Amino acid sequence: MCRVGSHRWWSDAHRRYDRARQAARHIGDQRAEAYALLELGRIDQIGGFYGAARTGFRLARRIAVAVGDPRCQAEALCELGQTAWLIGDHGDAERFYTKALRMACDIDYPPAECDARNGLGHVERLACNYAAATEHFTRSWAIAIGVGDRARAASALWGHAEVVRRLGDNGTARQNYTDALRTARQINHPKIEGDALRGLAHVARLAEDWDSARRYY
């Protein structure tokens, strides 16, 4: 897995996916075009090009609807939810994630259900609906464990830690952050690693363990 900061690798991936998209369009393979658009959008999203990402996800979804590919539709809806979340449009994020969750459950597609629940967990967390957030993160984690996806599992653990920390359960929060951190380092996932370290710093600060907080920050 390449690091998010390795711009050259992301640029190379973007070029290759764009060539795949063009080839798929040239031979009339709409399903392949839709999946190439999804990957292009994900790279644009990582790079902060949210307008381009959203355009790509919307087109991927339209093509998926036309060719009858519900998995691609569910993934596009999740990514539209994530893009909306990243630009601060939490209402749209909730709407897209809810549609993705409904579709993923209808077709029994665990990866999209996991992502949709994780996204909804964050929406509910920011709305201070902690019971609903906990339910989403807990189920997202269980799905990720079930399909053997360590990155998704670590992400759900971090989300749950954010909730319980706000509820004052610093012991559970510390354990979840620690588990997420361990997994992130094992799979070389710097985004989750940074989030988990920041969470551990918050817990240490609340306990007035200033040296540990400083080290984690």
Side-chain angles (χ1 to χ4, degrees):
M1 177 182 288
C2 59
R3 291 184 177 271
V4 173
S6 303
H7 177 72
R8 180 172 66 87
W9 296 113
W10 290 117
S11 296
D12 188 46
H14 197 282
R15 284 193 299 272
R16 291 174 186 271
Y17 279 124
D18 192 46
R19 290 175 63 184
R21 178 192 61 81
Q22 294 176 42
R25 178 172 292 183
H26 180 71
I27 64 174
D29 188 339
Q30 289 185 290
R31 181 172 280 101
E33 181 182 358
Y35 280 101
L37 283 164
L38 274 179
E39 297 303 335
L40 284 167
R42 286 165 175 150
I43 295 171
D44 284 331
Q45 190 184 79
I46 289 169
F49 302 107
Y50 301 127
R54 184 166 48 194
T55 297
F57 295 141
R58 285 173 173 167
L59 181 54
R61 183 188 177 194
R62 284 201 297 271
I63 294 173
V65 171
V67 300
D69 189 330
R71 288 193 171 192
C72 187
Q73 291 179 56
E75 289 190 31
L77 284 166
C78 280
E79 296 298 348
L80 284 166
Q82 177 70 1
T83 304
W85 170 262
L86 289 170
I87 63 175
D89 189 346
H90 298 161
D92 260 3
E94 181 176 20
R95 180 168 60 85
F96 285 126
Y97 281 135
T98 300
K99 287 183 177 179
L101 177 59
R102 186 180 303 117
M103 177 166 285
C105 290
D106 286 345
I107 63 175
D108 190 22
Y109 187 35
E113 181 183 353
C114 185
D115 291 342
R117 288 195 180 280
N118 192 57
L120 285 169
H122 288 297
V123 171
E124 298 290 4
R125 173 176 62 83
L126 281 194
C128 298
N129 297 326
Y130 296 132
T134 296
E135 175 71 11
H136 282 306
F137 285 130
T138 301
R139 295 182 69 174
S140 178
W141 176 83
I143 294 168
I145 292 298
V147 299
D149 193 315
R150 301 173 74 193
R152 283 184 167 100
S155 181
L157 270 178
W158 174 78
H160 184 252
E162 290 286 287
V163 173
V164 296
R165 177 168 60 84
R166 286 163 174 79
L167 292 172
D169 186 354
N170 291 332
T172 300
R174 183 186 298 108
Q175 186 61 58
N176 283 0
Y177 286 134
T178 300
D179 290 344
L181 176 62
R182 183 183 303 111
T183 298
R185 286 175 169 169
Q186 289 171 349
I187 64 175
N188 191 24
H189 198 305
K191 172 64 169 62
I192 297 174
E193 181 180 0
D195 288 340
L197 284 167
R198 188 175 66 252
L200 284 167
H202 292 332
V203 172
R205 176 174 54 80
L206 289 170
E208 299 186 0
D209 182 354
W210 312 121
D211 289 340
S212 295
R214 185 180 298 111
R215 184 173 68 255
Y216 287 131
Y217 281 133

